[in-house]
């Protein structure tokens, strides 16, 4: 049994294939997209999507800022950014984190809690990039 998975960025359809399962980094925790799953829509946090076939991870992609719609036989991921793990660099993550921290410091004394939450989410994304780059988990196919 498989589920059709589509991962879409603003530029293109990044991936469209049937997989046994896809583990998605949902805001509330990882969610496994599998055939027969209850329909739902949820926000994604920055993290890795793992694609499974025959109980093995066959592909891994980094996503940031997006959401997923899951149906019984398909799952669509819409993400602002989708990248291969080997495209992530520690330097990029550190620069991004520093810039976001400066911006957060500017708004932290204001009542703009929506902007503060957004910046915290984006800082978590920068930290995810750093963690993935540092840990050396750049294998796309295991």
């Amino acid at each position: 049994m498989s589920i059709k998975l589509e991962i879409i960025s603003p530029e293109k359809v990044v991936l469209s294939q049937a997989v046994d399962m896809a583990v998605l980094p949902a805001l509330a925790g990882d969610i496994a997209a599998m055939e027969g799953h209850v329909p739902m829509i949820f926000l994604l946090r920055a993290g890795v999507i793992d694609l499974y076939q025959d109980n093995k991870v066959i592909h891994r992609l980094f996503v940031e800022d997006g959401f997923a719609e899951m149906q019984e036989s398909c799952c669509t991921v819409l993400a602002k950014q989708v990248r291969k793990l080997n495209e992530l660099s520690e330097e990029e993550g550190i620069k991004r984190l520093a810039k976001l921290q400066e911006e957060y410091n500017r708004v932290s004394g204001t009542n703009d809690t929506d902007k503060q939450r957004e910046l915290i989410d984006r800082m978590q994304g920068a930290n995810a990039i750093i963690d993935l780059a540092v840990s050396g988990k750049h294998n796309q196919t295991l």
Side-chain angles (χ1 to χ4, degrees):
M1 297 192 327
S2 63
I3 186 168
K4 171 141 184 179
L5 176 69
E6 287 196 328
I7 301 175
I8 303 167
S9 74
E11 296 84 30
K12 63 182 179 179
V13 174
V14 176
L15 182 124
S16 180
Q17 74 180 66
V19 296
D20 290 344
M21 177 175 67
V23 178
L24 309 173
L27 198 58
D30 291 349
I31 295 180
M34 301 177 356
E35 187 174 54
H37 198 290
V38 64
M40 60 176 27
I41 296 175
F42 53 91
L43 293 173
L44 297 172
R45 70 179 191 284
V48 177
I49 294 177
D50 288 324
L51 308 180
Y52 286 81
Q53 200 69 42
D54 298 323
N55 294 320
K56 294 180 185 175
V57 176
I58 60 166
H59 202 67
R60 304 181 83 209
L61 293 167
F62 177 80
V63 294
E64 189 173 6
D65 295 332
F67 69 93
E69 178 183 19
M70 200 177 323
Q71 299 293 325
E72 289 185 20
S73 62
C74 64
C75 179
T76 303
V77 173
L78 299 173
K80 180 179 176 183
Q81 185 178 73
V82 181
R83 296 173 56 196
K84 296 177 182 176
L85 297 188
N86 65 358
E87 295 174 350
L88 304 177
S89 77
E90 181 181 6
E91 180 181 343
E92 170 199 358
I94 290 170
K95 285 180 183 177
R96 185 184 292 193
L97 184 59
K99 183 178 176 182
L100 291 166
Q101 184 66 52
E102 284 179 25
E103 192 174 348
Y104 181 82
N105 290 341
R106 282 194 301 274
V107 299
S108 65
T110 69
N111 291 330
D112 193 350
T113 56
D114 289 340
K115 183 66 172 177
Q116 291 170 13
R117 281 190 208 106
E118 174 195 339
L119 289 167
I120 289 170
D121 289 345
R122 292 175 61 200
M123 284 189 282
Q124 289 173 339
N127 277 320
I129 290 171
I130 294 167
D131 291 346
L132 287 165
V134 169
S135 69
K137 294 182 180 176
H138 296 298
N139 293 333
Q140 294 175 45
T141 304
L142 302 177

